[in-house]
Amino acid sequence: MSRRGLAAVASVLDQAASSATNILVLVLAARLSSAAGFADFSMVYVTFSVLLGLNMAYVGQSLVLAKGEQLGAECRSAMGFTAAASTAVGALLLLAGLALAGATGTAFLALGLVLPLVLLQDGLRYCFSALRAPERALAADALRLVCVVAALAVQPEGASAGRLVLAWGLSALPALGLGLWLLRPYVRGARADLRPYLRRGHLGQRFVVEFAVGNGSSQLAVLGLGVFATPLAVGALRGATTLFGPLNVLFNSANAFGPPVLGRLGGKRATVRATAVLGLVLAAVGAGWAAALYLLPDRLGRELLGDTWADASALLPATGAQYAVMGLGTCALLTLRVLAPKATLSLQVVFSLLSVGLLLGGYAVWGVAGAAWGLAAGSALKALAAWWRVTRLPATAGSRDTEPVPAA
């Protein structure tokens, strides 16, 4: 296999290791906690997911586009900014934890303490991606996976959300140390410069907007259910989506490796044909996975999610429908990313906000099940609108004979 092929395999395995870490953290936390305890843990983990996505968008995505001989300095600057920003946000979380009462406040206090560790460890993935060394990211993330499973596996049954958050966060230390050691040869002698991240017009600002409307809005809406309604709703929704974690690996891999492959097909017709087939395959896989989970005996379900299984399993039809149409929507947006990159932002804004409205409206009328079906309806409408936008593209879109469109 060529070096490029090995790098692609390492990148896919690294994405799988990172996704598996997130899945197993939630599964182990659910098994160790009561339904109420897992709801508290879920609220904290949703908060972390939003912060992780913002850091990925603002720092990570702009870093992987960096080129030239200054990549070492770019990586050192990215890690320096992540350390400073995560420390500042961690301080705010400490204040929020002090303001909140009970187990929820303690869990947010724990997140504030460990946030710099976990964000720095995750940020190393983008440094190694920019440096074309994904095998080093894989080594660090594999160690992270082993350490977090070991740290949570030794926690006692009924452990508080704060204790679980602290164990999860501190388990990032060995992987962070390994990653920094592997990064050292590339950044030796380079100087960090944080000023570009503070300037108006930094590329990450555009990526943050796309993340906020595409992913962060729904995460914040789910978190809002725990603030304005009941934390148990967050636990049930989070538990149901956790079971579909393997599909997120497929979707993320399609987004990461699809554009270079599709860009070589040479025009709208070939690109749409390929993405339509891929979309149907992903939709079928999503539906099949949902059916398998729905038929899972309660005994095995409780082995996966503990007390949360009873509430989460009731949401499987809605969450399965959501992931099936997400497969179609992911491929439609991937098509637009290749053929007309500037068309994706408006779709993300309109239909992500619509999904939030449907989630909250569904909860107001039909409870947690209504919220899950609201998310499914929002994903279906986004997929439909994206494919309609694809059909409106001119026949010359993406042709080798046309001027390339700048990436969004």
Side-chain angles (χ1 to χ4, degrees):
M1 185 181 293
S2 67
R3 178 175 176 79
R4 181 176 298 181
L6 289 172
V9 170
S11 296
V12 172
L13 291 176
D14 179 55
Q15 179 63 53
S18 179
S19 298
T21 299
N22 292 329
I23 295 167
L24 289 174
V25 165
L26 290 166
V27 168
L28 289 171
R31 292 184 63 181
L32 291 168
S33 308
S34 64
F38 183 66
D40 288 330
F41 183 87
S42 294
M43 288 185 66
V44 172
Y45 207 77
V46 169
T47 302
F48 162 71
S49 298
V50 172
L51 295 173
L52 178 68
L54 289 173
N55 188 66
M56 173 199 70
Y58 196 82
V59 181
Q61 289 192 17
S62 58
L63 176 62
V64 297
L65 296 178
K67 298 178 182 179
E69 300 178 356
Q70 301 299 318
L71 285 177
E74 295 276 1
C75 291
R76 185 180 284 272
S77 300
M79 295 301 290
F81 179 82
T82 298
S86 59
T87 300
V89 175
L92 294 177
L93 289 172
L94 289 174
L95 294 176
L98 292 173
L100 294 171
T104 302
T106 303
F108 275 101
L109 277 172
L111 179 61
L113 290 173
V114 302
L115 185 68
L117 299 179
V118 291
L119 287 188
L120 278 171
Q121 193 277 320
D122 186 81
L124 287 167
R125 298 171 57 211
Y126 301 98
C127 291
F128 291 127
S129 178
L131 294 165
R132 309 296 189 268
E135 68 282 355
R136 299 193 176 213
L138 175 59
D141 285 334
L143 179 61
R144 168 66 167 144
L145 174 59
V146 171
C147 290
V148 75
V149 170
L152 291 178
V154 299
Q155 301 304 310
E157 188 172 350
S160 67
R163 176 170 179 160
L164 294 176
V165 170
L166 204 59
W168 157 76
L170 292 177
S171 68
L173 275 171
L176 176 60
L178 175 61
L180 291 174
W181 180 73
L182 292 173
L183 182 65
R184 185 180 177 185
Y186 296 97
V187 300
R188 186 183 291 115
R191 297 186 60 183
D193 183 7
L194 307 189
R195 290 173 297 178
Y197 289 97
L198 304 176
R199 291 174 187 153
R200 185 176 180 181
H202 172 62
L203 188 60
Q205 294 167 9
R206 181 183 181 93
F207 295 140
V208 162
V209 173
E210 289 221 21
F211 167 79
V213 298
N215 298 295
S217 57
S218 60
Q219 294 272 28
L220 289 172
V222 172
L223 184 62
L225 288 179
V227 175
F228 300 110
T230 166
L232 292 175
V234 179
L237 284 170
R238 195 65 179 176
T241 55
T242 297
L243 297 172
F244 288 85
L247 296 185
N248 289 327
V249 176
L250 294 179
F251 296 162
N252 291 335
S253 297
N255 283 320
F257 300 104
V261 175
L262 296 172
R264 293 195 293 267
L265 295 181
K268 176 186 174 182
R269 185 177 224 175
T271 300
V272 171
R273 186 186 300 118
T275 52
V277 171
L278 179 60
L280 291 173
V281 170
L282 291 179
V285 171
W289 186 259
L293 290 173
Y294 188 74
L295 297 174
L296 199 67
D298 284 344
R299 177 178 58 82
L300 294 179
R302 290 184 180 278
E303 287 292 320
L304 287 174
L305 292 182
D307 291 342
T308 304
W309 169 256
D311 293 323
S313 61
L315 305 181
L316 287 177
T319 307
Q322 179 192 359
Y323 271 82
V325 296
M326 278 174 63
L328 293 170
T330 295
C331 291
L333 292 170
L334 180 59
T335 309
L336 292 173
R337 178 69 72 182
V338 173
L339 300 179
K342 292 183 178 180
T344 59
L345 183 56
S346 59
L347 283 169
Q348 293 277 32
V349 170
V350 173
F351 287 94
S352 294
L353 294 178
L354 177 62
S355 292
V356 171
L358 291 170
L359 180 150
L360 298 176
Y363 181 82
V365 178
W366 294 295
V368 182
W373 280 111
L375 285 174
S379 296
L381 291 172
K382 183 189 287 190
L384 184 63
W387 278 113
W388 180 82
R389 182 68 179 85
V390 169
T391 65
R392 303 285 293 176
L393 293 175
T396 56
S399 172
R400 297 181 188 277
D401 299 328
T402 60
E403 184 179 354
V405 182

